[in-house]
Amino acid sequence: MASPRQQLDALTGLRFLAAAHVVAYHVYHLVFTGTEAPPGLHGLLDSGYVGVSFFFVLSGFILGYNYLERPLDTREARKAFWVARFARIYPIYVLGLALAAPAYLKGLRDTWAVEPSEALRQAEALVVAPLLLQSWTPWTAMAWNGAGWSLAVEAVFYAAFPFLAGRMNRLGTRALAVGAALAYGAALLLPALYMVADPDHTGGTASAYNSGPWMLALRFNPLARLPEFLLGILAARLFLLRAGAAPRPRPALLVVVGGGIIAALLGSSSLPFPLLHNGLLAPVFAALILLLARSEGGAARVLASRPLRLLGEASYALYLLHMPVLFAWKSVLKRLGASPTSAWAVALFCVGAVCLSVLAYERVEKPARGWIRDWWTGRGTEQRAPGLQPRA
């Protein structure tokens, strides 16, 4: 395959934009509580949760791109794959838990004083969160460093991927179209059933900040989110089937797809939350990924630039660390008697969170990944996994 780094670097920069959207969403809801931006801007800021859907699709695409033509069909190959994924995600994940521990433990103490039974339920996260199992129990999914729930979902994807890849690496174009339609239908089936049955009795007003137990299960359960990951793998298979073709600039199509995503986000208040949260835009994300992966146009060059590549590499750390940093920053401002909604406070948090993510990437993520892989190599059993470009 010709110049894979050149083809995929734009996706690294795109990862930063998606992570920044998630950060903006949390700042909007956790800092500007009770304040609503103008309609269009409100829709854009209020839809940051769809960035997680994008990451699920991108994860499937990157893994498919790297492994569909290198089947993980032996026990040692699968072990090497799982070690590589563990080395990729777990060090920063643990750092996020450590940074979030003070706020989580304080919340447990305060809840115990009011409602001990609820505190005991939240305390289950002490066991399940370090094991990446918190998304299987809705009441623990967001308990300890809320952003980490999606890593518990990704862990299921990683466990299943070697077996899924063996069944997808022989699909032709027609089978891919059928598979994509089935995966998209599966992604929307449970949200649609939820809207019809309304088991939480929300009257159609379910949202990220108004979720009953059934909505929480729908949002966080790994099996409910698996179709988004499958769409990414199918997109990777299509990309590989056309890998020999010369790149064709399609700026008009890129504008249509990108503009469609932005329009959907701006108007997100008019879209059903269960559908939007659980993959409504997943096919459009897959189309954007495919277009940028093969593009050599201006947008791809900007996204593939060195600064955005670095920020994209650090976006995983930004995603996992920004919430504990935000809570700590709000606590500091409260002690200083300063307003967290002031322009300087928001700007300082954003700059600080990005700088911390780059530092964590350089000083924690990369070294720890190397140590874990070296340890596995030293056991004499690792077949080194191919480099991931960009890393999902």
Side-chain angles (χ1 to χ4, degrees), residues 136-391:
W136 292 101
T137 50
W139 56 89
T140 60
M142 296 281 289
W144 187 2
N145 194 15
W149 74 266
S150 64
L151 272 298
V153 173
E154 287 277 4
V156 175
F157 297 167
Y158 297 157
F161 176 78
F163 309 103
L164 295 172
R167 289 164 173 76
M168 293 186 176
N169 61 2
R170 296 183 295 273
L171 296 179
T173 304
R174 182 174 298 179
L176 286 176
V178 174
L182 290 175
Y184 188 47
L188 300 186
L189 177 61
L190 291 177
L193 290 175
Y194 176 88
M195 293 170 60
V196 172
D198 193 17
D200 292 320
H201 307 292
T202 64
T205 62
S207 71
Y209 289 87
N210 176 29
S211 290
W214 287 97
M215 184 73 249
L216 291 176
L218 179 65
R219 289 167 58 191
F220 301 134
N221 188 278
L223 299 181
R225 310 310 299 269
L226 182 62
E228 295 156 86
F229 181 68
L230 294 176
L231 278 169
I233 302 175
L234 293 169
R237 174 60 180 163
L238 179 62
F239 181 82
L240 292 170
L241 283 175
R242 300 181 177 179
R248 294 170 54 189
R250 295 182 176 179
L253 187 55
L254 186 58
V255 168
V256 169
V257 172
I261 292 173
I262 293 173
L265 298 180
L266 290 171
S268 63
S269 300
S270 302
L271 297 173
F273 170 76
L275 294 176
L276 189 60
H277 188 282
N278 277 47
L280 181 65
L281 299 182
V284 193
F285 291 148
L288 179 64
I289 290 166
L290 283 168
L291 287 169
L292 283 174
R294 295 186 56 81
S295 175
E296 295 179 350
R301 288 196 298 271
V302 170
L303 290 170
S305 63
R306 181 175 295 181
L308 274 175
R309 283 207 316 271
L310 175 61
L311 293 175
E313 294 285 8
S315 62
Y316 172 63
L318 177 64
Y319 174 76
L320 273 183
L321 303 183
H322 76 276
M323 287 188 73
V325 171
L326 179 58
F327 288 131
W329 180 233
K330 287 180 66 177
S331 179
V332 169
L333 291 174
K334 184 177 180 180
R335 292 183 182 183
L336 294 176
S339 171
T341 61
S342 61
W344 70 267
V346 173
L348 198 55
F349 161 73
C350 292
V351 172
V354 169
C355 291
L356 176 63
S357 70
V358 173
L359 183 65
Y361 168 68
E362 293 287 352
R363 299 306 177 102
V364 177
E365 183 179 332
K366 289 203 297 187
R369 187 164 64 239
W371 296 334
I372 293 171
R373 288 186 169 184
D374 287 345
W375 167 79
W376 183 252
T377 303
R379 295 177 74 245
T381 55
E382 181 182 24
Q383 299 175 6
R384 281 199 175 265
L388 302 181
Q389 320 121 356
R391 285 176 286 276

Side-chain angles (χ1 to χ4, degrees), residues 111-150:
T111 304
W112 179 265
V114 178
E115 193 174 354
S117 61
E118 178 60 25
L120 288 174
R121 292 211 320 161
Q122 295 294 316
E124 292 176 24
L126 289 168
V127 176
V128 296
L131 297 175
L132 287 167
L133 296 173
Q134 67 268 42
S135 285
W136 292 101
T137 50
W139 56 89
T140 60
M142 296 281 289
W144 187 2
N145 194 15
W149 74 266
S150 64

